[in-house]
């Protein structure tokens, strides 16, 4: 296991400080030259797009996921069926999901535009994958794909809250909002924190579904960090710069993991 994970990690660190390409391999050490992307205006734009992608994606997952989990925690008709249905997006492979969404959102032949036009909600096709809406579209798909993880985590966590706690809060006159804010959220904090860190790390590293749907376009509108890493390696043939950006992303995720452990320790 150490070899499986250790060799790629060592290679990434090695490449980050070297001039390396796919055809020639290692050429020479270049020191910190590959990290010049940190002061590149284009990289700052990529980083901003990545932050937008992560912040709105994870926030959307929490808002939607928490709402659905709270609804499915109640004894509503067909609850077990709905619980099965909400996890389906999680089970669909990214590549297949990306392909299906690309077809559904196509401006000319897509199902979504066909429905919108037929119902009269729009007078002309909406370019969901155009420059103006592409980022919002992939964020929506990220929420759709990632929410089931949070829903399942929360539904499991809800089972650990004793019924007596809710009954006592009701007797004390706490309303539903007060019960949620002052009782449920503190009890769920370990799950919320750990799920937030995991979802953030996953969202930062996601590549396939965005690449399949937009390839980072149009006009770099959805070129997030993972797409930039791919482009540096396989389009620009610069494994060194690609490894440097990967190392930057890895350090950022490690910092998130450290913050998670600190937060968990404070909760305990």
């Amino acid at each position: 296991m150490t070899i499986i994970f250790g060799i790629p990690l060592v290679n990434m660190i090695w490449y980050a400080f070297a001039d390396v390409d796919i055809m020639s391999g290692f050429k020479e050490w270049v020191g910190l030259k590959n990290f010049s992307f940190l002061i590149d205006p284009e990289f700052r734009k990529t980083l901003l797009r990545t932050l937008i992608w992560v912040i709105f994606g994870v926030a959307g997952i929490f808002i939607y996921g928490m709402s659905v989990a709270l609804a499915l925690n109640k004894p509503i008709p067909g609850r077990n069926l709905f619980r099965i249905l909400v996890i389906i997006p999680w089970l669909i492979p990214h590549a297949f999901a990306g392909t299906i969404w690309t077809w559904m959102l196509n401006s000319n032949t897509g199902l979504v535009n066909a429905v919108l036009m037929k119902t009269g909600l729009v007078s002309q096709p909406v370019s969901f994958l155009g420059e103006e809406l592409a980022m919002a579209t992939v964020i929506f798909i990220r929420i759709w794909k990632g929410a089931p993880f949070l829903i399942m985590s929360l539904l499991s966590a809800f089972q650990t809250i004793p019924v007596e706690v809710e009954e006592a809060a009701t007797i004390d006159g706490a309303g539903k909002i007060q019960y949620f804010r002052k009782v449920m959220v503190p009890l769920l904090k370990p799950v919320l924190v750990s799920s937030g860190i995991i979802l953030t790390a996953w969202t930062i590293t996601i590549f396939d579904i965005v690449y399949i749907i937009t390839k980072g376009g149009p006009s770099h509108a959805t070129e997030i960090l993972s797409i930039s890493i791919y482009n540096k390696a396989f389009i620009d043939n610069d494994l060194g710069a690609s490894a440097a950006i990967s190392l930057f992303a890895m350090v950022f995720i490690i910092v998130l993991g450290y913050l998670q452990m600190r937060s968990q320790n404070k909760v305990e």
Side-chain angles (χ1 to χ4, degrees):
M1 188 65 70
T2 303
I3 294 175
I4 292 174
F5 289 102
I7 291 176
L9 177 60
V10 170
N11 273 338
M12 180 183 69
I13 297 172
W14 176 30
Y15 288 175
F17 298 93
D19 182 6
V20 188
D21 63 48
I22 296 173
M23 300 300 296
S24 305
F26 177 84
K27 295 180 180 179
E28 60 179 348
W29 296 106
V30 295
L32 297 175
K33 182 181 177 182
N34 288 330
F35 291 89
S36 61
F37 69 84
L38 290 171
I39 58 173
D40 183 354
E42 287 303 315
F43 177 75
R44 289 200 291 269
K45 292 178 183 178
T46 299
L47 198 57
L48 178 60
R49 286 190 294 266
T50 303
L51 288 174
I52 293 171
W53 155 256
V54 172
I55 291 170
F56 284 94
V58 174
I61 288 172
F62 266 83
I63 294 170
Y64 171 66
M66 178 66 80
S67 301
V68 173
L70 287 171
L72 294 180
N73 194 46
K74 302 296 181 182
I76 60 175
R79 180 172 65 173
N80 291 334
L81 175 61
F82 286 125
R83 285 183 173 182
I84 294 172
L85 292 176
V86 296
I87 68 170
I88 289 177
W90 178 257
L91 302 176
I92 299 174
H94 279 194
F96 182 69
T99 303
I100 292 298
W101 276 108
T102 302
W103 167 73
M104 290 179 62
L105 297 172
N106 185 281
S107 299
N108 299 317
T109 60
L111 178 63
V112 174
N113 268 306
V115 172
L116 292 175
M117 294 281 287
K118 191 160 188 177
T119 55
L121 293 175
V122 297
S123 57
Q124 58 184 11
V126 179
S127 182
F128 290 104
L129 301 179
E131 188 174 349
E132 293 182 0
L133 294 178
M135 179 58 81
T137 299
V138 294
I139 288 173
F140 169 81
I141 295 170
R142 172 60 189 141
I143 294 169
W144 169 83
K145 192 81 174 66
F149 169 79
L150 183 65
I151 293 169
M152 290 185 291
S153 300
L154 290 174
L155 286 175
S156 298
F158 288 158
Q159 309 311 310
T160 66
I161 301 177
V163 177
E164 293 80 8
V165 173
E166 184 173 3
E167 292 175 348
T170 303
I171 292 171
D172 290 340
K176 292 185 180 298
I177 296 177
Q178 284 182 312
Y179 172 70
F180 175 75
R181 287 178 56 247
K182 297 184 178 180
V183 179
M184 289 190 73
V185 170
L187 291 174
L188 294 172
K189 189 175 181 181
V191 174
L192 293 173
V193 171
S194 58
S195 296
I197 299 299
I198 291 170
L199 285 167
T200 300
W202 279 345
T203 305
I204 290 172
T205 56
I206 281 177
F207 164 78
D208 45 7
I209 196 165
V210 179
Y211 187 78
I212 289 169
I213 295 172
T214 66
K215 290 184 171 55
S219 301
H220 305 285
T222 58
E223 186 177 319
I224 54 177
L225 209 55
S226 57
I227 302 290
S228 182
I229 291 169
Y230 173 86
N231 287 341
K232 282 290 183 184
F234 299 104
I235 305 300
D236 299 340
N237 193 26
D238 190 349
L239 288 179
S242 177
I245 299 173
S246 300
L247 187 60
F248 171 83
M250 185 188 73
V251 170
F252 182 72
I253 292 171
I254 289 173
V255 171
L256 286 179
Y258 171 73
L259 293 175
Q260 176 194 15
M261 290 186 288
R262 279 192 60 185
S263 179
Q264 290 283 34
N265 290 335
K266 286 181 181 179
V267 171
E268 293 171 1

